[in-house]
Amino acid sequence: MSHSDIQDKNPGFITMEKTLQQQIQELKKKRHAVILAHNYQNPEIQDVADFVGDSLDLSLKATKTDAKTIVFCGVDFMAEAAKILNPEKTVILPDKTANCPMAEMVDAESLSWLIKEHPDAEVVAYINTTADVKTLADICCTSANGVRIVKSRTAKKIIFIPDRNLGLYIQKQVPEKEMILWPGVCRTHHDIKKEDIVVLKKKHPHAEILVHPECQPEIIEFADYVFSTNGMVNHAKTSPIKEFIIGTEKGLCYRLEKENPGKKFYPVPTAICPNMKKTTLEKVLKSMETLEPKINLSDEIMQKARVPLQRMMEIE
Ligand code: 13P
Ligand code: SF4
C-alpha cells in the first residue's frame, strides 16, 4: 500500500514522509552546502535558498562562504563565476541546460578579432559571458556596477560585450569613453515593448517605473529609475512609494512582494527567462544527492578568467 493510499484511508494518519524542502535542508547540512539563488528563480527555490540576490551579490556571497559545496540555482555563467572564484569548492548547477542565451552571443575567436582591430581598447565583459570569453577581458562588470567599472578604466576606448542595451546605457552615463558595442541582447528584456509599460502605467498611474539596463533605450528613457535586480529590491524597500511597475524578468516580483508586504508590484506578464525557470526542487535535491552536474573548467581557463572577475571585486 502506498503512502498516499494509507493517508486516503486514514485521514487522521500523520505522515512521516519528508517534504522535498526538509530533505534538501537535511542534505545541505550533510554536504556542508550553501544554496545560492538568483532573484529570477521560482518562488519555492528562493524559499529554500540561503541567499537570494543579483549576479554581483551572489558572486560576493560565493567568495565569503566557508561551505564546501555551492548549489547554484541560476544559469551557467553565474555558477561558472562561483567556481572560478572558488576553484577548491564543488559548484553544482542543478540543471546543466540552464544557460544564458545572451552569454552565448559572443565567442572567444570573434572577440580576439575585434581586440586585434582595436589594440588601444580595454575589454569590459558583462558577467553574462562564458569563462572562455572572460579569459580575454580586462575586467568584468554586472548591471549593478557597469557605470562605475567603465569609469574606472584608464583607456579611452572600451570594447563592451555582449549586451548592447547595457552598453548604450553605460555610454550615456560615461560620455568621455568611446564604447565599441557587441551586438548581443537578452531576449527577455529586449522584447519588453514600451507599449507594455505604457499599458501598465495607464492602469496604475501612481506607480513608479523601475527597469533593468538590459531593456531597450526607449524604455530606459521612459522609466523613473534604472537598476540591477538587487537595486530594485533596495529601492522598493526604502522608497515611500507604494506601487511599482517592474521592467525585468517577472520572477523578481516574488521577492519584492515577500519583502514589502504593504506594497504592490506590477510585472510585464511576458517577461520570462525560460532558463531561469528550469531549476526545480526535485532537481536541487537530486543534484545534492549525486553532487552532479558539477561545473568543470580547466585550471588554465579558471586562472585567466579569475583576473577580470577579481579586478571587478576589488572595485566593490
Ligand atoms: P542582475 O545581476 O541585475 O540580477 O541581472 C542578471 C541577469 O541575468 C539579468 O537578466
Ligand atoms: Fe540571460 Fe536574459 Fe535570462 Fe538574464 S534574463 S539569464 S540575461 S537570458
Side-chain angles (χ1 to χ4, degrees):
M1 193 183 282
S2 78
H3 211 96
S4 52
D5 289 341
I6 298 174
Q7 264 199 313
D8 289 346
K9 293 204 170 91
N10 306 280
F13 177 79
I14 297 167
T15 178
M16 295 305 285
E17 197 171 281
K18 287 177 189 152
T19 62
L20 282 168
Q21 283 89 342
Q22 285 168 332
Q23 293 176 66
I24 289 170
Q25 295 305 346
E26 280 177 15
L27 253 184
K28 200 167 74 181
K29 279 193 204 129
K30 208 164 131 191
R31 296 280 192 217
H32 301 285
V34 66
I35 302 178
L36 304 182
H38 187 265
N39 286 322
Y40 297 157
Q41 289 288 294
N42 289 313
E44 61 280 14
I45 302 294
Q46 295 195 29
D47 287 345
V48 90
D50 296 291
F51 298 103
V52 181
D54 67 2
S55 315
L56 180 62
D57 187 23
L58 295 177
S59 302
L60 291 166
K61 290 278 181 336
T63 57
K64 291 196 177 121
T65 178
D66 45 16
K68 275 191 191 154
T69 302
I70 298 175
V71 181
F72 212 115
C73 301
V75 289
D76 55 359
F77 74 84
M78 297 176 176
E80 281 185 4
K83 178 70 185 174
I84 293 164
L85 293 166
N86 299 279
E88 75 297 344
K89 293 194 198 297
T90 300
V91 178
I92 297 166
L93 180 67
D95 185 319
K96 69 171 181 218
T97 69
N99 67 344
C100 168
M102 180 169 66
E104 318 270 310
M105 288 179 190
V106 53
D107 64 279
E109 203 189 333
S110 319
L111 178 59
S112 303
W113 279 105
L114 192 62
I115 294 172
K116 271 191 203 129
E117 273 178 40
H118 301 280
D120 51 339
E122 283 188 59
V123 178
V124 178
Y126 193 21
I127 196 164
N128 302 40
T129 42
T130 61
D132 218 21
V133 164
K134 284 188 179 80
T135 64
L136 300 173
D138 292 291
I139 190 162
C140 287
C141 78
T142 72
S143 60
N145 61 16
V147 171
R148 207 156 61 239
I149 295 285
V150 168
K151 270 191 186 156
S152 76
R153 308 323 299 155
T154 50
K156 182 170 168 52
K157 227 191 230 186
I158 304 290
I159 295 174
F160 187 83
I161 54 164
D163 187 21
R164 186 175 154 77
N165 288 334
L166 176 61
L168 286 168
Y169 170 69
I170 296 174
Q171 175 74 89
K172 228 173 159 194
Q173 315 297 311
V174 196
E176 66 273 22
K177 299 286 185 197
E178 184 190 326
M179 290 178 67
I180 300 154
L181 306 178
W182 196 267
V185 289
C186 158
R187 289 256 63 109
T188 305
H189 287 86
H190 192 77
D191 291 349
I192 297 177
K193 300 281 170 273
K194 189 175 167 191
E195 192 50 27
D196 299 327
I197 306 287
V198 170
V199 166
L200 288 170
K201 185 71 181 173
K202 276 190 188 144
K203 267 200 205 159
H204 310 288
H206 303 298
E208 227 173 38
I209 304 171
L210 315 183
V211 305
H212 196 275
E214 289 177 14
C215 290
Q216 295 196 48
E218 62 165 0
I219 290 179
I220 290 186
E221 266 160 44
F222 188 63
D224 294 303
Y225 292 98
V226 182
F227 287 124
S228 75
T229 56
N230 263 27
M232 292 188 200
V233 171
N234 296 335
H235 177 81
K237 253 187 216 163
T238 51
S239 168
I241 305 287
K242 299 264 183 277
E243 293 178 83
F244 303 88
I245 291 164
I246 301 299
T248 191
E249 212 275 349
K250 64 188 273 194
L252 178 67
C253 288
Y254 176 69
R255 179 167 174 205
L256 287 167
E257 278 160 10
K258 190 170 160 183
E259 295 184 11
N260 299 281
K263 300 193 178 185
K264 290 215 154 59
F265 300 93
Y266 309 114
V268 175
T270 50
I272 297 170
C273 174
N275 285 288
M276 282 284 182
K277 306 304 184 207
K278 285 183 176 171
T279 322
T280 60
L281 287 176
E282 285 81 0
K283 288 180 198 170
V284 171
L285 180 62
K286 184 153 182 246
S287 71
M288 289 172 82
E289 280 164 357
T290 58
L291 291 182
E292 294 289 348
K294 272 189 200 69
I295 299 292
N296 285 313
L297 295 165
S298 76
D299 288 343
E300 195 193 340
I301 297 263
M302 283 201 284
Q303 253 175 33
K304 288 188 184 158
R306 197 172 302 129
V307 176
L309 276 170
Q310 274 175 342
R311 279 193 190 133
M312 172 182 82
M313 306 293 219
E314 279 157 20
I315 288 182
E316 279 317 305

